[in-house]
Amino acid sequence: MASPSKDFCTLCEEDNVTTDAVTWCTECEVFLCVECEKHHKRSRSSKDHNIISAENYHELPSFIKETSNLCKIHGKKFELYCSFHACACCVHCTTDKHQSCQTMKPLPEILKQVKSSAAVRLLEKDVKDLNKNFDDIMEYLKNRISTNTNQKTEAIQSIRSMRKSIDDHLNKLEQQLLKDLETEHSTLKSKMETLLREVDKRAKQIRKLQNEFSNMTKYATELQTYVGLTEIENITSKEASYMEDIKRGPDLMERNFYVTTSPTLASIIRDVESFGEITVDTRPCNVVANAGRKDQAQHLLPIPTIDQIKPSFSNTLKVPEGKTFIFVNCCILPNGNVLTLDKDHKSLLMFRNNGTFIRSIVSFKEEPTKMCFVKDDTVAVSFYSACEVALVDIGRSKVDRNFKFPKVYCAGVSSDGQVLVLSMPAVKNVIVMNLLNESKQTLNEIQVHCISLVKKNIYGTNFWENTVSCYKLTGEMIWTFKHQDIGAPIGIALDKNGFIYVAGRVSNNIVVVSTDGKSCRTILNQDNGIKNPTSIAIDVISGIMLVISLTEGVDSLLFKL
């Protein structure tokens, strides 16, 4: 192929003629000159092909231009898509490597409206958010460098102010302290400047990727867009992981300079052996990054409708022989393991995702009510009658912190890792607590029993009113929903697509509610072993759903969504 600076018509080159190309056919994958383009448009077989200018073709990312409509093995046009192997196939591929695959679909059906799909909008937002996050961190690092420089200046002034009241005997000690200060500052500044350069480098790559993304959605074919989305997703996921690493690591910790002068300066010649010392106060950074979708798989296939949600039975939680557990609540950890609350022994239990029992984590003095995953190895457990919430370190099998709420019964609990939301149905309140500084905000006139915090929205069930509601984190109601199929809703969970799953205690069923709160459908009932369900949890990665009933062991059911 000709270089981007000089493209020649592919058809003319076949006749040993070099004619400047002006367009590129995305279907035939050839450059066309003015004359060949005219014939190309007149031909019945190619008149409907998508044509772009040669300049626009070269604006596409390299990995997009390398994506072909033809099978590399058989040289035939892709016509099918294998969902099992997640790849496009030609007709010959079906008899070659995909004979046993039962998930073949027409490729046009998969690619239909791909550029207008939710995946494009979500990925575009991810790239935009990632770019914004890099800009914020660079601005933060620049401000920290400036602040540390000012702190250095203030420290020098403090040192020299003290120096005026003492004699030449302290000159040597003063110079040593200044040297220590300079060393600490230089080291700190060097580290931040190195990090700043790295962040700036990655930010430029993201800005470039953002432009390439825009060009891809404008000029690439549907297949190229499909492949490109996967490639860009991999890049953004990698960069998002990098950002999470530096946020969790020590590099962004706030370090401040202070100088401590000796209290015995009045008797300096006799007693003082040092001019002071330099300390660096390290605090968490205050950069708030836009939340990404690192905990959810990004799917290019169309989001299913409620009618397409058909869970299948997978397994049960297996109670060890000789033991009796009464499960009241559950959650699924990021690694797929299951945690349950045992009412009988007032304990927290762990199971594998295949249902086998692992161990008891910790026992409580009070009877536990609800639980949720917070972050890392931390889960939160509420105690209704004790008006208390505990943060449990499951790795160390111990309670880290307890939060008391005098005369306020704690029911449902949920967290996004930054804040904890607690439902207080008896007083129609929801408490929003910042886990960093433990500050609290009360949202009034919200009466929900079970609660789920997802993407800054609060979802809850009202056991008494038979309703499911959605609120903003500020307390504003977005929607509320009531249906005859939902009787005494108690458990609630959301899947990766934002559908709300509700456990009906009296109606003995699991109902899925649409993302806008306008419709619902029963997906599991007594015919599926559902009896008095009290809790529901969903792993958005694997699609595993756990339903807990208020009976012993055997009614803890695992389903695959």
Side-chain angles (χ1 to χ4, degrees), residues 58 60 262:
H58 289 299
L60 292 171
S262 174

Side-chain angles (χ1 to χ4, degrees), residues 141 144-145 148-149 152 178-197 250-251 253 255-257 278-280:
L141 291 172
R144 289 311 310 160
I145 292 174
N148 289 152
T149 301
K152 172 193 172 184
L178 291 173
K179 181 179 179 181
D180 292 343
L181 175 63
E182 187 62 41
T183 300
E184 289 290 344
H185 177 264
S186 297
T187 301
L188 190 60
K189 180 179 179 182
S190 176
K191 289 181 179 179
M192 286 193 291
E193 288 178 337
T194 300
L195 180 59
L196 178 60
R197 287 193 295 270
D251 292 334
M253 300 297 281
R255 294 171 171 84
N256 298 305
F257 286 100
I278 302 298
T279 58
V280 178

Side-chain angles (χ1 to χ4, degrees), residues 184-229:
E184 289 290 344
H185 177 264
S186 297
T187 301
L188 190 60
K189 180 179 179 182
S190 176
K191 289 181 179 179
M192 286 193 291
E193 288 178 337
T194 300
L195 180 59
L196 178 60
R197 287 193 295 270
E198 176 63 18
V199 172
D200 182 61
K201 176 183 175 182
R202 289 174 178 262
K204 290 177 180 177
Q205 292 174 346
I206 291 300
R207 284 192 286 271
K208 178 182 177 183
L209 183 64
Q210 193 172 15
N211 293 331
E212 292 176 340
F213 183 92
S214 176
N215 292 328
M216 178 188 71
T217 57
K218 291 179 181 178
Y219 310 122
T221 65
E222 284 76 9
L223 176 59
Q224 291 173 330
T225 301
Y226 179 83
V227 175
L229 291 177

